[in-house]
Amino acid sequence: MTVARSAPPPVRGFQTFLKLWASQGVSSLGSAAAWFSLTIYLAQTLYPLPSQRPELALGLALLGLSGGLPALVAVPLAGIWADRADRRRTMLVCDLLSGLLALLTAFLMLRGLLPLWGLLTVSALTSLLGSFHGSAFDTSYGTLVGPAQLPRANGMMQTLGSLSGLLAPALAALLIAASGGVPLALAIDGLSFWLAAAVLSRLRFPAASQPDRSAGALPAFRDDLSFGWRYILARPPLLMLLLTFAAVNFSWSPLQVFDTLLLKGQLSADLRAHSLNFTAGLALLGTLSAVGGVAGGVLVSAWGGLKRRRVLGVLIPVLLGSVALATLGLSASLWVAAPALLALTFTGPVMNAHSQAIWQAQVPTQMQGRVFSVRRLIAQFTSPVSVALAGVLAAHVAVGTLLVGLGALVAAVALLQLLNPSLRRVEDRAYLEALALRRSGGERR
């Protein structure tokens, strides 16, 4: 498999990246506030009674699946699109449509015309648009930022998501208190998408080299669809890195269900002892967990990450995060659960920034759409599975027990990978290409 080199970034590329980062950050904050508002809506409006715990668990699981599964299914198509189409234009169209969808949802909710199935449909459509936007975005800023700045840029991207999580609970609670419901948060989300689109329309950044579109030159769709799989499978250390993240996502994804159920059950007595209601408790957990994410992202942004052996910047945080996850499951006090969640989310940006830097350095920009889409599919296919299982198991098994078990699972994976000599060479480009060449030679024979 022939691997082309990426073009050098433009002189003022990092300045353009900063503008893109800031504008998309506003949209990310709006979306996080809207999502938090929907969680409050499910827990306090649709299923407010303790006896409705099974229904609440199922509703949260369905909302999580509707927000994640469509994006995962669509990601191979989104990756092909990102390599074939103008990535800036793709992001612009997705922002405009997502904003329109959020505003329409707010209107229907105000009119009382949005049942649960309608809410899940809107979530699924937003997820599909997010898949195409994400593929275009993830493969664009590598064309703006030089290799030495990639860990810093990736740390800033991780900070962006964590900062949205930090501010979203308070913003959502404020909007709900001001408006008496969720529609205002959804309307703000829609406007934030349009603001991001307005800024994006003024930016110019280089596109990756596109395939020749002359007759017969463009690869067949089925070849593009399989390209990412062939690229990754020919380089086993990259696949091993992805399987590590598959285990992490399996363990972490149910937190969107478990946090709410912890407050409704295991931590409810402690909430009452501190005169806190459910909304305040959920906002506190969400805020402090986001503080950890922001701190981890700021650390990587300021530090720049490891320059060598970046795989250790992935595996060691994974191991530390597993300890924090088990501690969360064992906690009976909000003041133990909150620091555990903070420590857990602190490790996320560190591991993700180092992983992203590894992939951006190994995969040429013009191939990243197809390769990164398969990368996301492999790493995240466990998320909807675990969320679905969480919705079923949490109705019958103590949430704390499930969290301890998940922590033990991911700890075992991290320890095994630390001992894996092949994975430790994932940054050795010559080694990876030799493996790919050996595999292609074996296939020809």
Side-chain angles (χ1 to χ4, degrees):
M1 184 181 298
T2 302
V3 179
R5 301 303 298 172
S6 302
V11 175
R12 296 186 177 180
F14 201 83
Q15 294 179 17
T16 303
F17 166 74
L18 288 176
K19 295 175 183 177
L20 182 65
W21 176 81
S23 61
Q24 294 295 322
V26 174
S27 176
S28 179
L29 174 60
S31 297
W35 185 264
F36 186 87
S37 299
L38 294 179
T39 301
I40 296 292
Y41 176 75
L42 284 174
Q44 290 204 314
T45 301
L46 291 183
Y47 309 111
L49 303 177
S51 60
Q52 293 178 308
R53 174 181 168 178
E55 291 88 346
L56 175 59
L58 180 60
L60 290 168
L62 288 175
L63 184 63
L65 287 172
S66 68
L69 190 57
L72 195 60
V73 172
V75 74
L77 300 179
I80 295 172
W81 184 265
D83 279 348
R84 291 191 175 208
D86 185 298
R87 293 168 180 172
R88 185 188 71 89
R89 188 176 302 163
T90 299
M91 293 166 60
L92 183 61
V93 171
C94 289
D95 278 336
L96 290 172
L97 291 178
S98 296
L100 180 63
L101 191 58
L103 290 171
L104 177 62
T105 305
F107 174 76
L108 293 175
M109 190 174 287
L110 277 174
R111 303 288 293 179
L113 301 174
L114 192 69
L116 179 60
W117 67 265
L119 188 62
L120 297 178
T121 301
V122 168
S123 177
L125 291 174
T126 303
S127 176
L128 285 173
L129 290 170
S131 182
F132 281 84
H133 183 282
S135 289
F137 192 16
D138 289 348
T139 56
S140 290
Y141 67 88
T143 66
L144 298 170
V145 180
Q149 295 174 311
L150 278 176
R152 178 167 285 109
N154 289 323
M156 292 175 65
M157 292 302 301
Q158 295 299 314
T159 305
L160 185 65
S162 300
L163 190 60
S164 298
L166 172 62
L167 300 177
L171 177 60
L174 178 63
L175 293 174
I176 290 173
S179 63
V182 177
L184 181 59
L186 293 171
I188 296 272
D189 183 28
L191 294 177
S192 72
F193 274 117
W194 284 357
L195 175 62
V199 173
L200 186 59
S201 69
R202 308 285 296 181
L203 297 179
R204 295 293 180 268
F205 47 88
S209 58
Q210 297 296 320
D212 183 2
R213 297 177 183 276
S214 58
L218 197 63
F221 177 80
R222 64 178 179 274
D223 292 334
D224 266 350
L225 196 60
S226 64
F227 178 85
W229 289 100
R230 288 184 280 115
Y231 187 97
I232 292 171
L233 293 176
R235 296 159 178 82
L238 291 176
L239 178 61
M240 295 172 191
L241 184 61
L242 286 181
L243 294 178
T244 303
F245 276 91
V248 171
N249 288 327
F250 183 85
S251 299
W252 286 28
S253 294
L255 286 175
Q256 59 186 298
V257 177
F258 290 162
D259 284 355
T260 303
L261 296 178
L262 276 174
L263 287 170
K264 284 280 190 175
Q266 190 168 313
L267 300 176
S268 59
D270 193 60
L271 278 179
R272 291 192 298 270
H274 291 91
S275 301
L276 294 173
N277 59 29
F278 170 79
T279 301
L282 189 60
L284 178 63
L285 278 186
T287 299
L288 290 181
S289 68
V291 167
V294 171
V298 169
L299 171 67
V300 178
S301 301
W303 163 35
L306 295 172
K307 302 301 184 291
R308 297 182 302 108
R309 303 186 71 186
R310 286 172 175 161
V311 69
L312 295 180
V314 174
L315 296 178
I316 292 177
V318 169
L319 187 59
L320 295 176
S322 68
V323 175
L325 187 64
T327 302
L328 178 63
L330 294 171
S331 62
S333 166
L334 187 64
W335 311 113
V336 175
L341 205 52
L342 186 150
L344 177 66
T345 55
F346 176 86
T347 65
V350 181
M351 70 176 78
N352 286 328
H354 283 94
S355 173
Q356 182 76 347
I358 291 171
W359 283 91
Q360 288 169 326
Q362 294 295 342
V363 183
T365 305
Q366 64 269 26
M367 300 177 181
Q368 286 181 7
R370 289 162 290 172
V371 175
F372 283 16
S373 66
V374 175
R375 167 196 171 194
R376 184 178 300 177
L377 185 63
I378 295 174
Q380 296 182 3
F381 83 96
T382 54
S383 293
V385 174
S386 63
V387 171
L389 288 174
V392 175
L393 293 177
H396 307 286
V397 181
V399 171
T401 302
L402 294 174
L403 286 170
V404 171
L406 290 172
L409 170 66
V410 78
V413 171
L415 288 171
L416 287 174
Q417 295 291 44
L418 280 169
L419 300 174
N420 186 337
S422 183
L423 180 59
R424 292 201 299 270
R425 298 187 65 182
V426 71
E427 298 159 81
D428 185 344
R429 188 180 184 86
Y431 173 67
L432 293 186
E433 296 310 315
L435 290 176
L437 184 60
R438 190 182 312 157
R439 180 178 177 85
S440 63
E443 289 174 350
R444 283 195 297 270
R445 289 192 296 271

